[in-house]
């Protein structure tokens, strides 16, 4: 997620017209892959959307798999483009960032749809995005776990054994709510539901309540 170091950023060596065309292709690919998935969405579909040839897409990205990986990177960059560090925050501020991201996502359904479709497809055999999503979840779980460790230290709470489960749960609930929102946007409020869920999980780590079984009463 962070920018690499080098003699000059890749983007600075690309002509403005070329950079603009690449972004047009990426935006078209987001829409095509979001609507059709990676397997059914074709480079011809992307090319038609942009008004260029199939060969024109290949000229810019080399292959369909490389285009997919660029789409996923494009989505990541969109998450942090307004942040000064160009990286998601560390520590407890990460929880605030996740809530803010949910509010932003309500305004970009195309990117949310593409991410949801591609992440679900990535569990299938030989999907070219699988390594990306495996790495993404590994990194995010660690980031959230580290944020929990900092927050527990601030609040004087001995780090509980629930942090690993809570970290996975926060990511799962965000992705699951995105799916429900895409299916029923008039019923599910993505941002507010995400904020509620994240707050509930954080509070459950800091102030664990009774086991669920205690709410079940024998008749």
């Amino acid at each position: 997620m962070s920018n690499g170091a080098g003699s000059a950023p890749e983007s600075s060596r690309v002509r403005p017209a070329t950079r603009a065309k690449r972004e047009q292709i990426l935006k078209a690919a987001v829409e095509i892959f979001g609507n059709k998935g990676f397997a059914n969405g074709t480079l011809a579909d992307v090319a038609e959307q942009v008004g260029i040839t199939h060969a024109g897409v290949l000229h810019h990205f080399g292959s369909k798999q490389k285009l997919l990986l660029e789409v996923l990177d494009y989505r990541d960059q969109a998450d942090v483009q307004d942040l000064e560090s160009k990286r998601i925050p560390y520590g407890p501020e990460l929880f605030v960032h996740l809530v803010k991201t949910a509010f932003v996502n309500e305004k970009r359904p195309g990117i949310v749809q593409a991410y949801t479709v591609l992440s679900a497809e990535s569990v299938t055999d030989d999907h070219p995005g699988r390594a990306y999503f495996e790495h993404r979840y590994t990194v995010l779980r660690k980031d959230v776990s580290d944020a929990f460790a900092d927050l527990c230290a601030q609040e004087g709470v001995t780090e509980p054994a629930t942090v690993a489960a809570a970290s996975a749960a926060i990511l799962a609930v965000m992705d699951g709510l995105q799916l429900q929102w895409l299916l029923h946007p008039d019923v599910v409020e993505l941002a507010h539901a995400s904020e509620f869920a994240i707050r509930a999980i954080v509070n459950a780590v800091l102030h664990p309540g009774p086991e669920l079984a205690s709410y079940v009463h024998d008749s």
Side-chain angles (χ1 to χ4, degrees):
M1 293 183 183
S2 59
N3 294 328
S7 57
E10 180 71 20
S11 60
S12 69
R13 298 193 296 268
V14 179
R15 291 185 304 168
T18 300
R19 187 159 51 244
K21 181 59 67 177
R22 284 174 58 88
E23 185 164 1
Q24 283 184 330
I25 295 171
L26 286 170
K27 288 180 177 179
V30 166
E31 182 176 343
I32 295 299
F33 292 157
N35 289 333
K36 297 186 176 183
F38 176 75
N40 294 324
T42 67
L43 292 185
D45 293 328
V46 175
E48 182 179 3
Q49 187 96 343
V50 182
I52 61 176
T53 64
H54 178 280
V57 177
L58 289 176
H59 169 73
H60 286 282
F61 292 95
S63 70
K64 186 180 178 184
Q65 290 191 5
K66 288 182 180 178
L67 175 59
L68 170 66
L69 297 178
E70 291 276 2
V71 164
L72 294 172
D73 183 64
Y74 178 74
R75 185 265 180 201
D76 279 349
Q77 296 306 315
D79 270 359
V80 298
Q81 64 182 357
D82 295 329
L83 301 179
E84 184 176 350
S85 64
K86 302 302 180 185
R87 193 209 182 280
I88 62 174
Y90 294 103
E93 188 182 345
L94 174 59
F95 299 117
V96 177
H97 169 74
L98 294 177
V99 172
K100 289 180 178 178
T101 298
F103 278 90
V104 171
N105 281 344
E106 285 189 330
K107 301 175 183 178
R108 53 179 192 182
I111 286 182
V112 174
Q113 182 181 16
Y115 176 84
T116 301
V117 170
L118 294 171
S119 62
E121 282 188 338
S122 73
V123 304
T124 58
D125 292 340
D126 300 321
H127 192 280
R130 184 179 185 110
Y132 165 86
F133 283 104
E134 287 179 344
H135 176 72
R136 176 179 176 78
Y137 280 115
T138 297
V139 170
L140 286 176
R141 281 195 301 269
K142 183 180 185 306
D143 286 344
V144 176
S145 293
D146 290 346
F148 268 122
D150 289 352
L151 184 59
C152 287
Q154 288 181 18
E155 297 297 316
V157 176
T158 301
E159 186 175 340
T162 56
V163 164
S167 300
I170 282 180
L171 302 180
V173 78
M174 291 189 71
D175 289 352
L177 284 170
Q178 287 180 170
L179 174 60
Q180 292 187 57
W181 174 68
L182 289 168
L183 292 172
H184 298 116
D186 296 329
V187 176
V188 177
E189 293 188 26
L190 177 61
H192 292 292
S194 298
E195 183 177 18
F196 173 84
I198 292 171
R199 185 172 68 248
I201 294 170
V202 169
N203 285 334
V205 170
L206 296 177
H207 311 289
E211 297 290 333
L212 289 178
S214 67
Y215 296 110
V216 179
H217 301 287
D218 295 330
S219 56

